[in-house]
Structures are given as C-alpha cells and as structure tokens.
C-alpha cells in the first residue's frame, strides 16, 4: 500500500473515532429532564430545605428583617445542585403558606453547566429569575405586624412533614424556623392569666407529642430543625420565661424524633 493510501486510511480512522466519540457524548452526556417550574429533576426526590417565617404577632425590627434576608440567602448558597429550597410563612389565619410559590431546585449557575447542551446565559438568567427576584418579592411586607388569634407552630410543622415534597421519604429534610415560639392553639397555649406560673401551666411534653403523632403520624421524625429564637424585649416575656418555653419545646422535639439546634435572634 502506498504512503498516500496509508495517510488516507489513517485519516478515515481518526474521523470515524471522532464521530463515534461525539455520538457517545451525545447519548451519555445529554442533560437530564427538568421540571420547567421547579427546575427539579423529573422522577427524582431531592433533599429539601424549608425556611419558615412566623408572621403571627411577631414584629420584626429592621435589623431582624435584614438578618432574615441573609439567612435565606445563606440557605440558598448552601444548596448543592439539584437540592430544593422553599420559603413558607405562618400567616394571620394560622396557615402555612408557600410564599409566592417560592420552591425551586438549584439547577446550577451558568458557569456550572455544560455549554455543549445548554446556554450558560439562559441558565443564569433562569437561576436569577427563580431565586433572586421571587425571593425579594417574598420578603416584601415582612416588617408588618399580623394580628392573629392563633399561632399553631407545632401543628404547622407536623403538617409540613406530610407535604408531598417534604414527607418522610424525602432525603435530608431541613427546616429553618424563625419564630418567637409562642404556641397558641387549642392544643396548648403559652398565654394565660398568670404568666408567672408558666412552668406549671405548660402541659406535659410527652402528652403533647403523643397528640401530635396521633393526628399527623411520625411526620417530623428525622427532620433537622434550626430554630432562630426571636427576642422581642417589648413583648413582656422575661429571659427566665423564654428559657422555660425553649426547654419545653426541646423536650417535645426530642419526643418527636426531631434533630434540633437553637440560636438567639436578638432585636
């Protein structure tokens, strides 16, 4: 075989190899299907972080509102690609509401995706549109005080644990709860005529836990809850009473199988 024929055959082999590699990459590296609304991978159940803001009878100072914004931004920054972040509020009717339908998986920024298959600029634009602007809208009016006849903190958390996208089959369920933790429902209430006798008025935590499980099941078992314990010096609760409230919650959460951590959230 002449030299030119060998060169031609070699070039054919090279071209065939390149074409084969491209075809293989197209099959193997093709991006997975995403839900267009949530950007979550179709058919998968992602880890889920929920930031829940108590809006019932809680007056947030400007400094606290800024810190809430920082907390949410930090929660977003900690997401791995494909993990989900939702923003909920406990409103004036004592209902948990998905604020502005903000519940989105992290699809990755424009610099995190393969430009062969997706446009980085379009990915970044969608990332910004579904995280930043909705987040800012969701925080509008956060300083407003909402008068509410009830504050069903425990019931709302247990209800959340049964949501379709936050049930016990969801991996790494995490709640960041921003609240003064002043439970006020028929289940039990911290309020009463004799605040000084708070320790004796609060019901047995084990009994409360059993009542919650009878109604909602073990929906909170395994959930990691980070409580940002809102301090409001004007509300009349002493540091000693706040300590009693915190200890009561800690025992309830332990009974329910919740992994918990607490941070003070001062004015």
């Amino acid at each position: 075989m002449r030299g030119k024929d060998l060169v031609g055959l070699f070039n054919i082999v090279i071209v065939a190899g390149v074409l084969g590699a491209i075809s293989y990459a197209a099959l193997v590296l093709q991006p997975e299907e995403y839900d267009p609304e949530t950007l979550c991978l179709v058919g998968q159940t992602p880890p889920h972080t929920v930031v829940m803001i108590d809006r019932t009878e809680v007056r947030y100072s400007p400094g606290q509102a800024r810190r809430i914004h920082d907390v949410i931004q930090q929660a977003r920054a900690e997401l791995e690609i494909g993990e989900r972040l939702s923003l909920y509020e406990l409103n004036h009717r004592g209902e948990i509401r998905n604020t502005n339908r903000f519940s989105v998986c992290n699809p990755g920024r424009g610099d995190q995706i393969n430009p062969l298959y997706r446009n980085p600029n379009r990915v970044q634009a969608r990332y910004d549109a579904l995280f930043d602007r909705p987040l800012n809208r969701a925080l509008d009016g956060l300083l407003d005080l909402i008068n509410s006849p009830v504050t069903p903190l425990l019931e709302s958390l247990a209800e959340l644990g049964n949501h379709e996208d936050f049930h016990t089959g969801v991996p790494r369920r995490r709640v960041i709860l921003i609240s003064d933790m002043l439970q006020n429902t028929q289940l039990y209430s911290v309020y009463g005529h004799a605040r000084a006798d708070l320790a004796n008025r609060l019901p047995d935590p084990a009994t409360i836990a059993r009542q919650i499980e009878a109604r909602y099941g073990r929906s909170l078992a395994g959930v990691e809850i980070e409580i940002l314990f809102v301090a409001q010096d004007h509300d009349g609760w002493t540091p000693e009473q706040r300590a009693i409230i915190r200890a009561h919650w800690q025992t309830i959460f332990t009974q329910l199988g919740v992994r918990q951590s607490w941070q003070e959230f001062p004015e």
Side-chain angles (χ1 to χ4, degrees), residues 68-108:
I68 289 172
H69 188 277
D70 292 342
V71 165
I72 296 171
Q73 294 285 0
Q74 181 63 31
R76 186 193 69 172
E78 292 174 353
L79 291 180
E80 299 291 339
I81 293 177
E83 294 185 348
R84 189 168 188 164
L85 175 66
S86 298
L87 181 60
Y88 281 80
E89 63 184 64
L90 185 59
N91 67 18
H92 64 286
R93 291 185 295 272
E95 301 168 342
I96 50 172
R97 184 172 70 88
N98 186 196
T99 307
N100 285 340
R101 297 182 179 179
F102 187 85
S103 184
V104 183
C105 284
N106 175 19

Side-chain angles (χ1 to χ4, degrees), residues 154 181 188 202 205-206 209 225 227 229 242-264:
L154 189 51
M181 305 304 289
Y188 84 93
L202 291 178
I225 297 183
I227 299 96
F229 195 16
R242 283 172 48 82
I244 292 171
I245 291 170
R246 174 171 173 168
H248 190 256
W249 274 102
Q250 287 174 324
T251 305
I252 292 175
F253 280 147
T254 298
Q255 293 281 336
L256 293 173
V258 171
R259 293 176 294 151
Q260 58 186 295
S261 62
W262 291 71
Q263 294 184 38
E264 290 291 326

Side-chain angles (χ1 to χ4, degrees), residues 148-194:
S148 173
V150 293
T151 304
L153 288 168
L154 189 51
E155 297 93 329
S156 297
L157 289 169
E159 180 183 338
L160 175 65
N162 282 326
H163 277 199
E164 180 181 3
D165 55 14
F166 204 75
H167 58 77
T168 55
V170 174
R172 298 203 302 279
R173 295 185 296 165
R174 180 188 179 207
V175 176
I176 301 172
L177 175 61
I178 305 169
S179 174
D180 56 13
M181 305 304 289
L182 299 179
Q183 171 81 16
N184 182 28
T185 63
Q186 289 184 346
L187 178 67
Y188 84 93
S189 175
V190 299
Y191 297 100
H193 296 297

